[in-house]
């Protein structure tokens, strides 16, 4: 079975500073990986996804993530954050292969951007 | 615009009462899901359905029930057997799972229902 670990539950960062939100996964087969963002009292929106190909994935709102198979990581980065990036971020893994359909989510990282 | 509609946005449950959360989608998605979200615990899967009239238990199905009579609708009932129902409930949908290029489309989410105990 797959699992996802988000190493930081909360990350405070000053506006215009860079940020990295860490995500590690475990799976016995190849995986598809996702980052979602959740604003207060809302559902989840997809930021980006890795299915195959280039290990550097670019998403919306200036975010990007790098898939590292040897380190089983999929860290999310942004070079310069804005106040509007304050939200909770979830990393998720979906096991590839016929019949697999679930997303397993990490416990989330709350990003707080300080003016 | 296509999307997922969850209602109500806020719901209160009395002791011994069953309550039903609505989830409707007009994305023509085959698969639908219910998650429970508690602070610091991420999302946990309650039930999912890949096709009309069929559904499977997720990781925390006890105290919940679902139906899938129509492709567009996947209501969740929180029964009185669920002793700790206070949480944020999220419904999601995705294209049909299985082999092929569409099988890796991510899940789309509604805006959630917050359930509290009176």
């Amino acid at each position: 079975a797959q699992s996802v670990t988000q190493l930081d539950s909360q990350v405070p960062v000053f506006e215009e500073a860079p940020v990295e939100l860490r995500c590690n996964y475990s799976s016995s087969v190849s995986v598809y990986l996702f980052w979602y963002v959740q604003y207060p009292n809302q559902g989840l929106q997809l930021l980006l996804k890795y299915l195959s190909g280039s290990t550097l994935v670019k998403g919306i709102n200036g975010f990007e993530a790098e898939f590292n198979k040897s380190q089983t990581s999929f860290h999310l980065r942004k070079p310069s954050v804005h106040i509007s990036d304050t939200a909770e971020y979830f990393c998720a893994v979906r096991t590839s292969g016929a019949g697999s359909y679930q997303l397993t989510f990490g416990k989330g990282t709350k990003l707080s951007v300080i003016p | 615009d296509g999307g997922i509609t969850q209602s109500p946005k806020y719901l209160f449950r009395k002791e011994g009462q069953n309550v039903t959360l609505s989830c409707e989608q007009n994305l023509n998605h085959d698969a639908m899901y219910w998650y429970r979200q508690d602070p610091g615990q991420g999302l946990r899967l309650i039930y999912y359905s890949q096709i009309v009239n069929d559904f499977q238990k997720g990781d925390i199905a006890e105290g919940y029930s679902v139906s899938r009579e129509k492709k567009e609708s996947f209501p969740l009932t929180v029964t009185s057997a669920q002793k700790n129902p206070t949480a944020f409930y999220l419904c999601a949908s995705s294209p049909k799972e299985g082999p092929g290029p569409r099988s890796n489309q991510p899940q789309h989410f509604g805006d959630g229902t917050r359930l509290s105990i009176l």
Side-chain angles (χ1 to χ4, degrees):
Chain A
Q2 62 271 33
S3 66
V4 176
T5 301
Q6 292 184 241
L7 297 162
D8 305 296
S9 60
Q10 298 189 53
V11 173
V13 62
F14 286 103
E15 192 175 14
E16 297 183 5
V19 69
E20 178 179 83
L21 306 183
R22 297 180 292 169
C23 172
N24 287 88
Y25 68 92
S26 67
S27 176
S28 58
V29 297
S30 59
V31 294
Y32 301 137
L33 294 155
F34 307 88
W35 274 100
Y36 283 86
V37 60
Q38 184 181 34
Y39 299 102
N41 292 314
Q42 293 187 23
L44 276 65
Q45 300 174 28
L46 181 70
L47 270 180
L48 48 80
K49 61 184 178 185
Y50 171 79
L51 304 181
S52 63
S54 173
T55 56
L56 183 63
V57 180
K58 293 191 183 296
I60 63 172
N61 300 340
F63 283 93
E64 63 181 31
E66 185 159 18
F67 171 62
N68 188 319
K69 187 175 181 179
S70 63
Q71 297 187 8
T72 61
S73 67
F74 190 54
H75 300 332
L76 181 70
R77 301 186 184 103
K78 186 170 183 178
S80 175
V81 295
H82 301 289
I83 294 290
S84 59
D85 293 323
T86 295
E88 190 159 18
Y89 293 78
F90 291 93
C91 181
V93 61
R94 179 182 181 279
T95 302
S96 63
S100 60
Y101 39 73
Q102 292 185 30
L103 290 179
T104 298
F105 288 87
K107 293 187 176 182
T109 297
K110 288 187 177 178
L111 174 64
S112 299
V113 180
I114 305 163
Chain B
D1 288 337
I4 300 177
T5 302
Q6 289 188 241
S7 62
K9 192 166 180 66
Y10 299 95
L11 186 59
F12 297 91
R13 196 191 88 168
K14 296 179 181 178
E15 288 287 337
Q17 185 182 42
N18 293 353
V19 292
T20 298
L21 285 60
S22 170
C23 178
E24 303 276 334
Q25 55 100 358
N26 60 4
L27 298 166
N28 199 32
H29 284 169
D30 291 281
M32 297 187 74
Y33 313 81
W34 274 106
Y35 293 92
R36 171 179 171 140
Q37 185 178 18
D38 296 281
Q41 294 197 42
L43 277 71
R44 293 181 290 170
L45 183 66
I46 305 173
Y47 269 98
Y48 60 93
S49 168
Q50 289 188 283
I51 194 170
V52 174
N53 292 323
D54 187 50
F55 47 83
Q56 285 78 41
K57 293 181 179 180
D59 300 320
I60 55 165
E62 186 175 349
Y64 300 96
S65 66
V66 293
S67 62
R68 187 87 188 276
E69 296 177 2
K70 299 187 300 182
K71 186 176 182 178
E72 301 80 16
S73 179
F74 191 41
L76 173 73
T77 296
V78 184
T79 74
S80 57
Q82 174 49 247
K83 298 306 179 187
N84 184 24
T86 298
F88 191 52
Y89 290 86
L90 286 163
C91 179
S93 71
S94 69
K96 187 175 182 178
E97 305 291 349
R102 286 173 58 80
S103 68
N104 297 317
Q105 293 297 316
Q107 294 177 15
H108 300 250
F109 286 80
D111 281 340
T113 293
R114 189 167 297 282
L115 176 62
S116 303
I117 292 288
L118 274 180

Coordinates of all heavy atoms in Angstrom, one line a residue, chain A residues 32 34 36 38 41-46 49 51 88 90 94 96-103 105-108 110, chain B residues 9-10 33 35 37 40-43 45 48 50 59 88 90 97-99 103-107 109-112 114:
Chain A
Y32 N 1.8 7.9 -9.5 CA 1.5 9.3 -10.0 C 1.2 10.2 -8.8 O 0.6 9.8 -7.9 CB 0.2 9.2 -10.9 CG 0.3 8.2 -12.0 CD1 -0.7 7.3 -12.3 CD2 1.4 8.2 -12.8 CE1 -0.7 6.5 -13.4 CE2 1.5 7.3 -13.9 CZ 0.5 6.5 -14.2 OH 0.6 5.6 -15.2
F34 N 0.5 14.2 -7.0 CA -0.3 15.4 -7.2 C 0.0 16.3 -6.0 O 0.2 15.9 -4.9 CB -1.8 15.0 -7.2 CG -2.1 14.0 -8.2 CD1 -2.1 12.7 -7.9 CD2 -2.5 14.4 -9.5 CE1 -2.5 11.7 -8.8 CE2 -2.9 13.4 -10.4 CZ -2.8 12.1 -10.1
Y36 N -2.3 19.4 -4.2 CA -3.5 20.2 -4.2 C -3.4 21.4 -3.2 O -2.6 21.3 -2.2 CB -4.7 19.3 -3.7 CG -5.3 18.4 -4.8 CD1 -4.7 17.1 -5.0 CD2 -6.4 18.7 -5.5 CE1 -5.2 16.2 -5.9 CE2 -6.9 17.8 -6.4 CZ -6.3 16.6 -6.6 OH -6.9 15.7 -7.5
Q38 N -5.8 24.0 -0.7 CA -7.1 24.2 -0.1 C -7.1 25.6 0.6 O -6.3 25.8 1.6 CB -7.4 23.1 0.9 CG -8.8 23.2 1.5 CD -9.2 22.1 2.5 OE1 -8.3 21.7 3.2 NE2 -10.4 21.7 2.5
N41 N -12.3 26.8 4.2 CA -13.7 26.5 4.0 C -14.0 26.2 2.5 O -15.1 26.5 2.1 CB -14.6 27.5 4.6 CG -14.6 27.6 6.1 OD1 -14.6 26.5 6.7 ND2 -14.4 28.8 6.6
Q42 N -13.0 25.7 1.8 CA -13.2 25.4 0.4 C -12.7 24.0 0.1 O -12.1 23.4 1.0 CB -12.5 26.4 -0.5 CG -13.1 27.8 -0.5 CD -12.4 28.7 -1.5 OE1 -11.9 28.2 -2.5 NE2 -12.5 30.0 -1.3
G43 N -13.0 23.5 -1.1 CA -12.5 22.2 -1.5 C -11.1 22.3 -1.9 O -10.4 23.3 -1.7
L44 N -10.6 21.2 -2.5 CA -9.2 21.2 -3.0 C -9.1 21.5 -4.5 O -10.0 21.1 -5.3 CB -8.6 19.8 -2.8 CG -8.1 19.5 -1.4 CD1 -9.2 19.5 -0.3 CD2 -7.3 18.1 -1.4
Q45 N -8.1 22.3 -4.8 CA -7.8 22.6 -6.2 C -6.5 22.0 -6.6 O -5.5 22.0 -5.9 CB -7.8 24.1 -6.4 CG -9.0 24.9 -6.1 CD -8.7 26.4 -6.2 OE1 -7.9 26.8 -7.0 NE2 -9.4 27.2 -5.4
L46 N -6.5 21.4 -7.8 CA -5.2 20.8 -8.3 C -4.2 21.9 -8.6 O -4.5 22.8 -9.4 CB -5.5 20.0 -9.5 CG -4.3 19.3 -10.1 CD1 -3.8 18.2 -9.2 CD2 -4.6 18.7 -11.5
K49 N 0.6 18.0 -11.3 CA 0.6 16.6 -11.3 C 1.8 16.0 -12.0 O 2.3 16.7 -13.0 CB -0.7 16.0 -11.9 CG -0.9 16.3 -13.3 CD -2.2 15.8 -13.8 CE -2.4 16.2 -15.3 NZ -3.7 15.8 -15.8
L51 N 2.8 12.6 -13.9 CA 2.4 11.2 -14.4 C 3.6 10.5 -15.0 O 3.7 9.3 -14.8 CB 1.3 11.4 -15.4 CG 0.0 12.2 -15.0 CD1 -1.0 12.3 -16.1 CD2 -0.6 11.6 -13.7
E88 N -3.6 25.7 2.8 CA -3.1 24.4 3.2 C -2.8 23.6 1.9 O -3.6 23.6 1.0 CB -4.1 23.6 4.1 CG -3.5 22.4 4.7 CD -4.2 21.9 5.9 OE1 -5.4 22.3 6.2 OE2 -3.7 21.1 6.7
F90 N -1.8 19.9 0.1 CA -1.8 18.5 0.3 C -1.1 17.8 -0.9 O -1.3 18.1 -2.1 CB -3.2 18.0 0.3 CG -4.0 18.4 1.5 CD1 -4.8 19.6 1.5 CD2 -3.9 17.6 2.7 CE1 -5.5 19.9 2.6 CE2 -4.6 18.0 3.8 CZ -5.4 19.2 3.8
R94 N -1.3 8.4 -6.3 CA -2.2 7.4 -6.9 C -1.4 6.3 -7.5 O -0.5 6.6 -8.3 CB -3.1 8.1 -7.9 CG -4.0 7.1 -8.6 CD -4.8 7.9 -9.7 NE -5.8 7.0 -10.3 CZ -5.5 6.2 -11.3 NH1 -4.3 6.0 -11.8 NH2 -6.4 5.4 -11.9
S96 N -0.3 3.5 -9.9 CA -0.6 3.3 -11.3 C -1.0 1.8 -11.5 O -0.7 1.0 -10.6 CB 0.6 3.6 -12.1 OG 1.7 2.8 -11.8
G97 N -1.6 1.5 -12.6 CA -2.0 0.2 -12.9 C -3.5 0.0 -13.0 O -4.3 0.8 -12.4
A98 N -3.9 -1.0 -13.7 CA -5.3 -1.2 -13.9 C -6.1 -1.4 -12.6 O -5.6 -2.2 -11.7 CB -5.5 -2.4 -14.8
G99 N -7.2 -0.8 -12.4 CA -8.0 -1.0 -11.3 C -7.7 -0.1 -10.1 O -8.4 -0.1 -9.1
S100 N -6.6 0.6 -10.1 CA -6.3 1.5 -9.0 C -7.0 2.8 -9.2 O -7.0 3.3 -10.3 CB -4.8 1.7 -8.9 OG -4.3 2.3 -10.1
Y101 N -7.5 3.3 -8.2 CA -8.4 4.5 -8.3 C -8.4 5.5 -7.1 O -8.9 6.5 -7.2 CB -9.8 4.0 -8.5 CG -10.1 2.9 -7.5 CD1 -10.3 3.1 -6.2 CD2 -10.2 1.6 -8.0 CE1 -10.5 2.0 -5.3 CE2 -10.5 0.5 -7.2 CZ -10.6 0.7 -5.8 OH -10.8 -0.3 -5.0
Q102 N -7.7 5.1 -6.1 CA -7.7 6.0 -4.9 C -6.6 6.9 -4.9 O -5.5 6.6 -5.4 CB -7.7 5.1 -3.6 CG -9.0 4.3 -3.4 CD -8.9 3.6 -2.1 OE1 -8.3 4.1 -1.1 NE2 -9.6 2.5 -2.0
L103 N -6.8 8.1 -4.3 CA -5.7 9.0 -3.9 C -5.5 8.8 -2.4 O -6.4 8.8 -1.6 CB -6.1 10.4 -4.2 CG -6.2 10.8 -5.7 CD1 -6.6 12.3 -5.8 CD2 -4.9 10.6 -6.4
F105 N -3.7 10.8 0.6 CA -3.3 12.1 0.9 C -2.3 12.2 2.1 O -2.5 11.4 3.0 CB -4.5 13.0 1.2 CG -5.3 13.3 0.0 CD1 -6.3 12.5 -0.4 CD2 -5.1 14.5 -0.7 CE1 -7.1 12.8 -1.5 CE2 -5.9 14.8 -1.9 CZ -6.9 13.9 -2.2
G106 N -1.4 13.1 2.0 CA -0.7 13.4 3.2 C -1.5 14.2 4.2 O -2.7 14.6 3.8
K107 N -1.0 14.6 5.3 CA -1.8 15.2 6.3 C -1.9 16.7 6.2 O -2.5 17.4 6.9 CB -1.3 14.9 7.7 CG -1.5 13.4 8.1 CD -1.1 13.1 9.5 CE -1.5 11.7 9.8 NZ -1.2 11.3 11.2
G108 N -1.2 17.2 5.2 CA -1.2 18.6 4.8 C -0.2 19.5 5.5 O 0.4 19.2 6.5
K110 N 0.3 23.6 6.3 CA -0.3 25.0 6.3 C 0.8 26.0 6.0 O 1.8 26.1 6.8 CB -1.0 25.3 7.6 CG -2.2 24.5 7.8 CD -3.0 24.9 9.1 CE -4.3 24.2 9.2 NZ -5.0 24.6 10.4
Chain B
K9 N -23.9 23.8 3.0 CA -22.6 24.2 3.4 C -22.3 23.9 4.9 O -21.2 23.5 5.2 CB -22.3 25.7 3.1 CG -20.8 26.1 3.1 CD -20.6 27.4 2.5 CE -19.2 27.8 2.5 NZ -18.3 26.9 1.7
Y10 N -23.3 24.2 5.7 CA -23.2 23.9 7.1 C -24.4 23.0 7.5 O -25.5 23.2 7.1 CB -23.2 25.2 7.9 CG -22.1 26.1 7.6 CD1 -22.2 27.1 6.7 CD2 -20.8 25.9 8.2 CE1 -21.1 28.0 6.4 CE2 -19.8 26.8 7.9 CZ -19.9 27.8 7.0 OH -18.9 28.6 6.7
Y33 N -16.5 10.1 -4.9 CA -15.8 9.8 -3.7 C -16.3 10.7 -2.5 O -16.7 11.8 -2.8 CB -14.3 10.0 -3.8 CG -13.6 9.5 -5.0 CD1 -13.7 10.2 -6.2 CD2 -12.9 8.3 -5.0 CE1 -13.1 9.7 -7.4 CE2 -12.3 7.8 -6.1 CZ -12.4 8.5 -7.3 OH -11.8 8.0 -8.4
Y35 N -14.9 12.0 1.3 CA -13.7 12.1 2.2 C -14.2 12.8 3.5 O -15.1 13.7 3.4 CB -12.6 12.9 1.6 CG -11.9 12.3 0.5 CD1 -12.3 12.6 -0.8 CD2 -10.8 11.4 0.6 CE1 -11.6 12.0 -1.9 CE2 -10.2 10.8 -0.4 CZ -10.6 11.2 -1.7 OH -9.9 10.6 -2.8
Q37 N -12.5 15.2 6.5 CA -11.3 15.9 6.8 C -11.4 16.4 8.2 O -12.3 17.1 8.6 CB -11.1 17.1 5.9 CG -9.8 17.9 6.1 CD -9.6 19.0 5.1 OE1 -10.6 19.5 4.4 NE2 -8.4 19.5 4.9
G40 N -5.4 18.5 10.9 CA -4.1 17.8 11.1 C -4.1 16.3 10.7 O -3.1 15.6 10.8
Q41 N -5.2 15.9 10.1 CA -5.3 14.5 9.7 C -5.4 14.2 8.2 O -5.5 13.1 7.7 CB -6.4 13.7 10.4 CG -6.3 13.7 11.9 CD -7.2 12.6 12.5 OE1 -7.3 11.5 12.0 NE2 -7.8 13.0 13.6
G42 N -5.4 15.3 7.4 CA -5.6 15.1 6.0 C -7.0 14.7 5.6 O -7.9 14.9 6.3
L43 N -7.0 14.0 4.5 CA -8.3 13.5 4.0 C -8.4 12.0 4.1 O -7.4 11.3 3.7 CB -8.5 13.9 2.5 CG -9.0 15.3 2.2 CD1 -8.0 16.3 2.5 CD2 -9.5 15.3 0.7
L45 N -10.7 8.5 3.2 CA -11.7 8.1 2.3 C -12.8 7.3 3.0 O -12.5 6.4 3.8 CB -11.1 7.2 1.2 CG -12.0 6.7 0.1 CD1 -12.5 7.8 -0.7 CD2 -11.3 5.6 -0.8
Y48 N -16.5 5.1 -2.0 CA -16.3 5.6 -3.4 C -17.2 4.7 -4.3 O -17.6 3.6 -3.9 CB -14.8 5.5 -3.8 CG -14.2 4.1 -3.7 CD1 -14.2 3.3 -4.8 CD2 -13.6 3.7 -2.5 CE1 -13.6 2.0 -4.7 CE2 -13.0 2.5 -2.5 CZ -13.0 1.6 -3.6 OH -12.5 0.4 -3.5
Q50 N -17.5 3.7 -8.5 CA -17.0 3.8 -9.9 C -18.1 3.7 -11.0 O -17.9 4.1 -12.1 CB -16.0 2.6 -10.2 CG -14.7 2.8 -9.4 CD -13.7 1.8 -9.9 OE1 -13.8 0.6 -9.5 NE2 -12.8 2.2 -10.7
D59 N -11.6 3.7 3.9 CA -10.8 3.4 5.1 C -11.7 3.6 6.4 O -11.4 3.0 7.4 CB -9.6 4.3 5.2 CG -8.7 4.1 4.0 OD1 -8.5 2.9 3.6 OD2 -8.1 5.0 3.4
F88 N -15.3 18.2 8.4 CA -15.5 18.8 7.1 C -15.6 17.6 6.1 O -14.6 16.8 6.0 CB -14.4 19.7 6.8 CG -14.6 20.6 5.7 CD1 -15.8 21.4 5.5 CD2 -13.7 20.8 4.7 CE1 -16.0 22.3 4.5 CE2 -13.8 21.6 3.6 CZ -15.0 22.4 3.5
L90 N -15.9 16.3 2.2 CA -15.6 16.6 0.9 C -16.0 15.5 -0.1 O -15.7 14.4 0.1 CB -14.1 16.9 0.7 CG -13.6 18.2 1.3 CD1 -12.1 18.2 1.4 CD2 -14.0 19.4 0.4
E97 N -12.0 5.1 -13.8 CA -10.7 4.6 -13.6 C -10.5 3.4 -14.5 O -11.4 2.8 -15.0 CB -10.6 4.2 -12.1 CG -10.9 5.3 -11.1 CD -9.9 6.4 -11.1 OE1 -8.8 6.2 -11.7 OE2 -10.2 7.4 -10.5
G98 N -9.2 3.1 -14.7 CA -8.9 1.9 -15.5 C -7.8 2.3 -16.5 O -7.3 3.4 -16.5
P99 N -7.4 1.3 -17.3 CA -6.3 1.6 -18.2 C -6.7 2.7 -19.2 O -7.8 2.9 -19.5 CB -6.1 0.2 -18.9 CG -6.8 -0.8 -18.0 CD -7.9 0.0 -17.3
S103 N -7.4 7.6 -17.4 CA -7.4 7.0 -16.1 C -6.6 7.7 -15.1 O -6.6 7.5 -13.9 CB -6.9 5.5 -16.2 OG -5.5 5.5 -16.5
N104 N -5.8 8.7 -15.5 CA -4.9 9.4 -14.6 C -5.4 10.8 -14.4 O -4.6 11.7 -14.0 CB -3.5 9.4 -15.1 CG -2.9 8.0 -15.1 OD1 -3.2 7.2 -14.1 ND2 -2.3 7.6 -16.1
Q105 N -6.6 11.1 -14.7 CA -7.1 12.4 -14.4 C -7.3 12.6 -12.9 O -7.8 11.7 -12.3 CB -8.5 12.6 -15.2 CG -8.4 12.7 -16.7 CD -7.5 13.9 -17.1 OE1 -7.7 15.0 -16.6 NE2 -6.6 13.6 -18.1
P106 N -6.9 13.7 -12.4 CA -7.1 13.8 -10.9 C -8.6 14.0 -10.5 O -9.4 14.3 -11.4 CB -6.3 15.1 -10.7 CG -6.3 15.8 -11.9 CD -6.3 14.8 -13.0
Q107 N -8.8 13.9 -9.3 CA -10.1 14.1 -8.7 C -10.4 15.6 -8.6 O -9.6 16.4 -8.3 CB -10.2 13.5 -7.4 CG -10.1 11.9 -7.4 CD -10.1 11.3 -6.1 OE1 -10.4 11.9 -5.1 NE2 -9.7 10.0 -6.0
F109 N -13.0 18.4 -6.8 CA -13.6 18.5 -5.5 C -14.7 19.5 -5.4 O -14.7 20.6 -6.1 CB -12.6 18.8 -4.4 CG -11.7 17.7 -4.0 CD1 -10.6 17.4 -4.8 CD2 -11.9 16.9 -2.9 CE1 -9.8 16.3 -4.5 CE2 -11.1 15.8 -2.6 CZ -10.0 15.5 -3.4
G110 N -15.7 19.2 -4.6 CA -16.7 20.2 -4.2 C -16.2 21.1 -3.1 O -15.0 21.0 -2.7
D111 N -17.0 22.1 -2.7 CA -16.6 23.0 -1.6 C -16.8 22.6 -0.2 O -16.5 23.3 0.7 CB -17.3 24.4 -1.9 CG -16.6 25.2 -3.0 OD1 -15.4 24.9 -3.3 OD2 -17.2 26.1 -3.5
G112 N -17.4 21.4 -0.1 CA -17.5 20.8 1.3 C -18.7 21.1 2.1 O -19.4 22.1 1.8
R114 N -19.7 21.4 6.3 CA -19.2 21.3 7.6 C -20.3 20.8 8.5 O -21.3 21.4 8.6 CB -18.6 22.6 8.1 CG -17.9 22.6 9.4 CD -17.1 23.8 9.7 NE -16.1 24.1 8.8 CZ -14.9 23.5 8.7 NH1 -14.6 22.6 9.7 NH2 -14.0 23.8 7.8

